[in-house]
Amino acid sequence: MTGHHKHHSHHHKEEAPKDYNKEMKHHQHLERLGQTVAVAATAYAMHEKHEAKKDKEHSHKHKVKEEIAATIAVGAAGFAIHEHHKKEAKHELKHHKHHHHHHH
């Protein structure tokens, strides 16, 4: 009787949404992390740009830090966009599969 209640398809359907939600949350978290780093690095780059103008004696050092921070900001923004697209692709795949099963 116990074996009768454990249908593999039923068990799979219960786990799939959990895995899907976990993956979506993971990509959402990474997307937000990338956005946060991009904003922080942009703010730091702007700070260093200001310091370069203010501190003429060490302007080159500040300009180098500004460039590094700007590069990090661009990379982090690209990572956030990448994670956003991964999240959208998972969403589309789930809905396409779900839609596909109803028609066949």
Side-chain angles (χ1 to χ4, degrees):
M1 193 174 217
T2 311
H4 179 72
H5 289 287
K6 290 191 176 184
H7 295 290
H8 290 289
S9 62
H10 180 72
H11 183 70
H12 181 70
K13 282 179 186 176
E14 279 185 338
E15 277 191 24
K18 287 180 188 175
D19 293 342
Y20 170 78
N21 289 336
K22 191 177 179 182
E23 273 193 67
M24 290 298 278
K25 283 180 182 178
H26 177 69
H27 290 301
Q28 180 69 37
H29 175 74
L30 292 177
E31 180 184 348
R32 288 208 175 124
L33 181 64
Q35 290 170 340
T36 303
V37 171
V39 169
T42 300
Y44 187 73
M46 291 169 74
H47 166 75
E48 286 299 330
K49 186 174 188 169
H50 176 74
E51 288 296 310
K53 289 177 185 173
K54 200 171 78 174
D55 183 12
K56 298 286 183 194
E57 195 181 332
H58 303 105
S59 67
H60 179 72
K61 181 179 81 170
H62 292 295
K63 284 178 184 174
V64 169
K65 287 181 179 182
E66 177 195 350
E67 288 297 318
I68 292 167
T71 302
I72 291 167
V74 170
F79 177 76
I81 291 166
H82 169 75
E83 287 300 321
H84 180 77
H85 287 295
K86 280 176 87 172
K87 191 177 68 180
E88 281 187 339
K90 291 265 182 218
H91 183 74
E92 288 297 315
L93 187 65
K94 184 186 182 213
H95 286 282
H96 178 71
K97 278 184 176 178
H98 187 70
H99 188 68
H100 182 75
H101 283 288
H102 278 288
H103 285 286
H104 291 290

